[in-house]
Amino acid sequence: MSQTTKSWTKWANAAFWAVVLGVVVYAIARNIGVVSNVLVVLLGFGAVVLVHEFGHFITAKLGGIKVEAFSICMPPTLLGIRKAKSGFKLRILPTFFRQQEEEPAEEQEQATEYRLGLFPFGGYVKLLGQEDTGPVKQMDDPRSFANKPVPIRMAVIAAGVVFNGISAAIIFMVVFLVGIRLTPPVVGGVIPRSPAAEAGLQPGDEFVEINGKSRGLDFSDIGIAAALSGSDERVPVTIRRTDNSLAEITLVARGLGRSFREFGVLDPLSLSISQISEPNVLRERTGLLPGDRIGAVNGNAVEHYWQFDQV
């Protein structure tokens, strides 16, 4: 193949992938909400895969196995870098610019190549002499996976799952140390003609005990107690009113147009302006922007949403 034909093919491939990228970006822009949710899930899954592959990588290094490549994200490769005899070798878009891979054989027998892929979902590690499919390559290199003792090979294979377990334990510890912001068991509103309305619950009332449970209550416990209660079961609760007085009442959950039983208690809202699709319209009408927090109404300070609602 002539040099001109090779050059034309290279740029044709680049143009094709540029068009594909443009179409993908346009589709994402048109469905940004759905795409963002899918992307979060895929990134979470990719993080699990990346930790798994890092376990294989570091264990292979410690075991004296040559790691030919370690990639963050999945192919096609955008960037590759490794240390060779003549210095650091950098490859940019090697799929399109293949002449970057033309180097002497002695330069190719060097350290691990660290790669960055196009698709941000996980990664992979490539060990010398190790194949995921087909027979294991037989070679004389002592750094080959196949030439290492069985205990080392077992450790490399098991390291992925072990690192996933270790990372999960670390994440749990961090979450418990930092804490999770839960919605308090406070009445934000009451659905008309609901069990909560008939029992006289008011916005600002706080559940301090639900069916005998008082420790670690959050708003979800209210819905769970209602949904799990039996037909016509009276659920005893203790309420702290806004004046700090306590009241013991019973609630009988029932269906309020949905498939599960509930008390008719709405969760407490905050005084922060929520994110909306057209913030400029809100600003023109009210002067407010998403993220602003209401601190007073008509000169009167408000700390809770129900106080704002009453005003």
Side-chain angles (χ1 to χ4, degrees):
M1 184 181 293
S2 67
Q3 187 65 30
T4 303
T5 304
K6 288 182 179 179
S7 178
W8 184 90
T9 303
K10 174 186 67 177
W11 290 110
N13 286 337
F16 170 77
W17 285 109
V19 171
V20 170
L21 181 61
V23 172
V24 171
V25 171
Y26 175 77
I28 291 175
R30 294 280 295 179
N31 304 276
I32 188 67
V34 175
V35 172
S36 61
N37 291 334
V38 173
L39 186 62
V40 168
V41 173
L42 291 178
L43 288 176
F45 178 76
V48 174
V49 175
L50 186 59
V51 170
H52 182 94
E53 295 300 323
F54 180 76
H56 294 314
F57 166 77
I58 194 66
T59 308
K61 283 281 192 181
L62 293 175
I65 299 173
K66 180 183 177 182
V67 180
E68 295 184 312
F70 177 73
S71 177
I72 298 176
C73 306
M74 299 301 289
T77 300
L78 296 178
L79 178 68
I81 184 171
R82 64 185 175 83
K83 186 178 181 181
K85 290 182 178 179
S86 58
F88 285 97
K89 292 292 182 179
L90 184 67
R91 300 191 307 150
I92 301 174
L93 295 174
T95 302
F96 300 135
F97 306 106
R98 295 186 181 278
Q99 68 270 23
Q100 297 180 67
E101 298 182 84
E102 298 174 0
E103 52 184 329
E106 62 270 14
E107 290 286 353
Q108 299 177 10
E109 287 293 324
Q110 300 303 315
T112 304
E113 182 177 52
Y114 297 92
R115 300 173 180 172
L116 177 65
L118 173 63
F119 298 103
F121 312 126
Y124 67 91
V125 60
K126 187 175 186 298
L127 307 181
L128 178 65
Q130 188 265 336
E131 297 292 335
D132 292 330
T133 59
V136 176
K137 291 182 179 179
Q138 298 298 324
M139 56 184 65
D140 296 330
D141 195 323
R143 299 173 300 169
S144 170
F145 176 82
N147 294 334
K148 289 297 179 180
V150 172
I152 293 180
R153 284 183 282 167
M154 291 177 62
V156 171
I157 294 173
V161 176
V162 172
F163 267 62
N164 282 141
I166 293 173
S167 65
I170 293 174
I171 291 172
F172 271 114
M173 286 190 291
V174 171
V175 169
F176 278 105
L177 286 173
V178 174
I180 300 175
R181 187 178 296 276
L182 299 174
T183 304
V186 175
V187 179
V190 176
I191 297 176
R193 295 181 296 279
S194 66
E198 294 169 358
L201 291 182
Q202 298 292 326
D205 289 345
E206 179 183 2
F207 285 77
V208 295
E209 185 175 307
I210 303 174
N211 206 13
K213 178 184 177 181
S214 58
R215 294 192 59 179
L217 290 179
D218 63 78
F219 190 82
S220 65
D221 290 307
I222 302 173
I224 292 173
L228 297 182
S229 64
S231 179
D232 297 326
E233 179 183 351
R234 301 173 67 84
V235 179
V237 299
T238 301
I239 301 297
R240 179 183 289 115
R241 304 289 187 182
T242 54
D243 60 1
N244 284 326
S245 63
L246 297 178
E248 296 183 359
I249 62 176
T250 57
L251 297 171
V252 179
R254 63 172 183 263
L256 299 176
R258 288 187 280 192
S259 59
F260 54 88
R261 288 187 292 274
E262 55 185 321
F263 296 139
V265 176
L266 302 177
D267 56 324
L269 301 178
S270 73
L271 291 172
S272 297
I273 307 300
S274 63
Q275 300 294 326
I276 60 175
S277 59
E278 298 181 356
N280 290 331
V281 175
L282 175 67
R283 182 176 185 177
E284 291 174 359
R285 292 180 178 178
T286 65
L288 298 173
L289 286 174
D292 289 348
R293 180 178 174 82
I294 298 172
V297 182
N298 289 333
N300 299 315
V302 291
E303 297 182 7
H304 307 287
Y305 176 79
W306 58 85
Q307 295 173 326
F308 168 78
D309 191 45
Q310 290 171 354
V311 174

